[in-house]
Amino acid sequence: MVEGSMTQGAGQGPDVRTATLRDFRVPAYIHETTGPAPVNPGAPGTAPDEGYTPTQRDLPVINRGDTVQVQVMPEPPQPRASEEYGPLFVVGDVHGYLAELVAALQEQGLLDAEGNWSAGNARLWFLGDFTDRGPDGIGVIDLVMRLSAEAAAAGGYCKALMGNHELLLLGAKRFGDTPVNSGAGTATFQAAWLLNGGQKTDMERLEDHHLQWMARLDAMEEADGHLLVHSDTTAYLDYGDSIEAVNDTIRETLTRNDADECWDLFRKFTKRFAFRDESGPSAVRELLDMYGGTRIVHGHSPIPYLLGDVGSEDESDGAGPVIEGPHVYADGLAIAMDGGVTMAGKLLVCQLPLSV
């Protein structure tokens, strides 16, 4: 396998029509993200800061303009049994960019022109981070929830992993300004959420079924030899010695509803770059040996950061590298899927396994 960037193509509730790309000319809901570009705490060329706590902005944001809120009902039908599944697809960090997500899924043939599931028994995994920074995080969650029902009815599936921004939004909603021990002084989920791209309109539209859906998400899964996770960190090892144990431990932690415990969980899954430098391949192998699989697929760290092409907010003005596909690195053992949509990059959807 040659390291580098590549692309891989493919090509219950009431029946509510979904917005199509044509509908984007007259958006039903518009919210503009403003504010200065954040600072990257782990710039290439420096060792990851194991003591880092997410109490400052850590990624730049580029304003992408209008968006559309997709109205759906979150009541999925019972999934229909399927004798076998079709091809496997993964989606990188979405961060509220609903229009870009719909376009990317349509480009891969997973959605039709009306935004409905059109991939039959295909499998689709989202790697987490549905909200924050972008303009319509709740619209993204609504879409993923609806597609989960539609894919199951067609004999496939659409599933999602827990990202650190799901933990952040849950914490901001549950604990607000309750002080937590951040390891670097007093912090609050509310302050961290706002600093890391929290959108007030998302909070206003957040409902109980969104919270329940996020709290039940798995943290890791294995599919066709690919270990799927959100964060490029070894922190998963702190929560269990099997995929099932990690997922159970994280759900139990969220169920206990302890602010400090939830903050520690969020802090650990905000760490990044564990697979990037010389020790990266051994870190990947440690996770693969424990949980199975032959490759890790992750989001969380934008590919321009992993490549060392963007290291500060001064370089994050949209003039960075053009990311056209996933980045394979760590001796071919890791696949990064965050194309940097918040940095005017590409929202990546690709089919696995990758081929040169």
Side-chain angles (χ1 to χ4, degrees), residues 6-183:
M6 62 185 70
T7 55
Q8 177 70 29
Q12 187 141 58
D15 182 13
V16 179
R17 192 184 70 82
T18 307
T20 69
L21 292 183
R22 291 187 296 275
D23 295 323
F24 293 169
R25 292 175 299 181
V26 186
Y29 163 78
I30 298 177
H31 175 68
E32 185 169 319
T33 303
T34 59
V39 177
N40 171 27
T46 62
D49 181 1
E50 290 301 317
Y52 169 66
T53 55
T55 54
Q56 60 181 353
R57 295 182 177 93
D58 69 344
L59 286 178
V61 180
I62 301 299
N63 178 32
R64 299 296 289 266
D66 297 346
T67 187
V68 169
Q69 177 183 353
V70 177
Q71 299 290 343
V72 297
M73 296 299 290
E75 300 178 6
Q78 292 298 316
R80 190 177 69 190
S82 176
E83 293 182 0
E84 63 179 22
Y85 288 118
L88 173 66
F89 294 83
V90 290
V91 184
D93 300 35
V94 182
H95 281 300
Y97 288 98
L98 178 60
E100 288 80 359
L101 173 60
V102 171
L105 293 172
Q106 288 176 328
E107 183 180 352
Q108 293 288 357
L110 297 166
L111 301 186
D112 61 21
E114 285 69 45
N116 300 311
W117 180 261
S118 61
N121 65 349
R123 295 165 291 164
L124 179 62
W125 273 103
F126 285 83
L127 300 180
D129 277 10
F130 303 100
T131 67
D132 302 338
R133 298 198 173 100
D136 196 3
I138 299 303
V140 170
I141 291 176
D142 283 339
L143 176 63
V144 176
M145 292 175 70
R146 177 173 62 78
L147 293 180
S148 297
E150 293 181 2
Y157 66 69
C158 170
K159 299 183 179 181
L161 294 181
M162 173 83 71
N164 63 303
H165 279 264
E166 281 67 66
L167 294 169
L168 180 57
L169 183 56
L170 282 167
K173 179 65 175 180
R174 289 180 176 182
F175 307 116
D177 289 322
T178 300
V180 294
N181 183 6
S182 71

Side-chain angles (χ1 to χ4, degrees), residues 90-92 104 303 323-327 336-339 346-350:
V90 290
V91 184
I303 293 171
I323 302 300
E324 294 295 341
H327 173 53
M337 282 293 300
D338 185 352
K346 187 173 183 178
L347 200 161
L348 297 180
V349 179
C350 76

Side-chain angles (χ1 to χ4, degrees), residues 276-292:
R276 187 182 63 177
D277 299 316
E278 289 185 4
S279 60
S282 63
V284 175
R285 291 189 184 96
E286 187 176 11
L287 289 172
L288 295 176
D289 290 345
M290 180 66 73
Y291 303 118

Side-chain angles (χ1 to χ4, degrees), residues 300-333:
H300 189 48
S301 290
I303 293 171
Y305 281 5
L306 291 168
L307 294 174
D309 292 311
V310 175
S312 74
E313 62 178 307
D314 294 332
E315 301 173 81
S316 60
D317 57 1
V322 177
I323 302 300
E324 294 295 341
H327 173 53
V328 181
Y329 68 115
D331 291 348
L333 296 173

